[in-house]
Amino acid sequence: FEDERGNLFLSIVDLIEQLGEKFYKPRVLFLENVKNLMTHDGGKTFGTIKSILEGLGYDVFTKVLDTSDFGLPQHRERLYFVCFRNDIENRFDFKFPVGDKKSSLSDILEDKPENAKVIERNDIVFYKEYVPEKNKNGKILIPNRPIQIGYLNKGGQGERIYHPLGHAVTLSAYGGGAGAKTGMYKINNKVRKLSPRECARVQGFPDEFKPRPKTNQAYKQFGNSVSVNVLQHIVFEISKILDRKA
């Protein structure tokens, strides 16, 4: 909570208290944070947040879910909080969704991407050609992870090259290197970054969604975003408890 970003949670607490004084506290709170929140400061930060939410009159359910289990080609583990006001009937019947749908980056690539920077350098190194594994029927098995096939410079973070049959690396709002924020991929014999539209698809946004107009702004937008598919599944489970039609 010494980090100014921690003030956001305190603002949420303040809002809940003000709503409770003037109207009523929300029936449900739905929060998200990075997985490491659970272990930060030996678990004390997580414990404090949970205790505060319970003190506000909520029963708190938490779970780490991976975007890659919900049909999106990205390994992105996030901690989700679903908190039901403790007068909500059947609240203890709530269960987080279990995802089992896999996909690869190749499933969401654009045919003619705009603003997808091509990397042309003389220090690019490739490993031996990647040969995908197949099942007994000859169908290609999609790995549930990024597949590194090369690198440039010293191969540090943001300097690794991946195959599109695997996952995208976790999108980030920050980071350096030639592949900063999106990663680099060998697609149609060219090494390039993802386009803003492809980043939107990796996060589950429909093509009707309009990214920020500047490429770097769009990269930051999707690097900071939650994954839409995961939210949809969680909200569906919440709706069951609230007796609303999903």
Side-chain angles (χ1 to χ4, degrees):
F1 295 110
E2 293 177 357
D3 189 316
E4 64 178 17
R5 291 173 295 182
N7 293 334
L8 178 58
F9 175 70
L10 301 179
S11 296
I12 292 171
V13 171
D14 185 53
L15 177 59
I16 295 167
E17 291 176 335
Q18 290 187 44
L19 287 171
E21 291 173 0
K22 296 181 179 180
F23 305 102
Y24 55 87
K25 294 178 182 177
R27 300 176 75 196
V28 181
L29 309 178
F30 186 9
L31 311 175
E32 178 261 8
N33 211 300
V34 295
K35 176 184 177 181
N36 291 343
L37 179 67
M38 298 191 72
T39 55
H40 180 263
D41 195 17
K44 293 179 182 178
T45 304
F46 174 79
T48 298
I49 290 173
K50 188 171 184 289
S51 178
I52 290 173
L53 293 171
E54 290 171 340
L56 289 169
Y58 291 87
D59 287 300
V60 181
F61 301 82
T62 62
K63 190 171 183 178
V64 174
L65 296 177
D66 190 343
T67 294
S68 69
D69 293 326
F70 294 88
L72 297 176
Q74 178 187 198
H75 178 60
R76 190 183 191 92
E77 291 182 304
R78 291 295 183 267
L79 172 64
Y80 296 92
F81 291 74
V82 174
C83 314
F84 290 96
R85 203 173 61 204
N86 55 26
D87 63 341
I88 302 297
E89 294 183 7
N90 303 321
R91 62 191 181 280
F92 292 110
D93 292 336
F94 173 77
K95 291 182 175 59
F96 279 97
V98 177
D100 60 359
K101 186 178 180 182
K102 309 296 183 185
S103 67
S104 72
L105 180 63
S106 60
D107 295 329
I108 58 89
L109 293 175
E110 292 187 283
D111 293 331
K112 297 180 180 179
E114 295 182 5
N115 301 326
K117 183 179 180 181
V118 175
I119 311 299
E120 296 179 314
R121 293 176 45 158
N122 57 14
D123 60 348
I124 292 177
V125 176
F126 289 109
Y127 307 135
K128 65 179 182 180
E129 184 178 355
Y130 171 72
V131 179
E133 185 180 354
K134 298 180 180 180
N135 63 17
K136 60 182 181 180
N137 297 320
K139 183 179 180 181
I140 293 177
L141 299 176
I142 304 299
N144 201 33
R145 57 178 174 79
I147 304 168
Q148 186 178 351
I149 58 173
Y151 65 93
L152 55 79
N153 195 22
K154 296 181 180 179
Q157 188 172 2
E159 298 177 335
R160 299 159 193 162
I161 303 169
Y162 299 90
H163 196 287
L165 274 180
H167 277 179
V169 296
T170 303
L171 300 184
S172 173
Y174 304 99
K181 301 180 179 66
T182 80
M184 292 182 293
Y185 308 87
K186 186 181 180 182
I187 302 169
N188 296 328
N189 289 320
K190 292 183 179 180
V191 175
R192 68 171 177 86
K193 297 176 65 172
L194 299 182
S195 71
R197 175 57 60 199
E198 289 167 339
C199 290
R201 291 176 178 177
V202 165
Q203 286 285 47
F205 284 84
D207 283 354
E208 294 76 22
F209 183 86
K210 295 182 180 180
R212 294 297 297 256
K214 294 184 178 181
T215 300
N216 283 336
Q217 291 177 342
Y219 285 154
K220 187 172 183 179
Q221 178 182 26
F222 295 119
N224 274 328
S225 178
V226 290
S227 298
V228 175
N229 290 29
V230 183
L231 301 191
Q232 289 175 322
H233 281 79
I234 296 175
V235 169
F236 181 81
E237 297 301 324
I238 292 172
S239 72
K240 292 179 183 180
I241 304 301
L242 299 181
D243 292 326
R244 294 177 178 173
K245 292 182 179 180

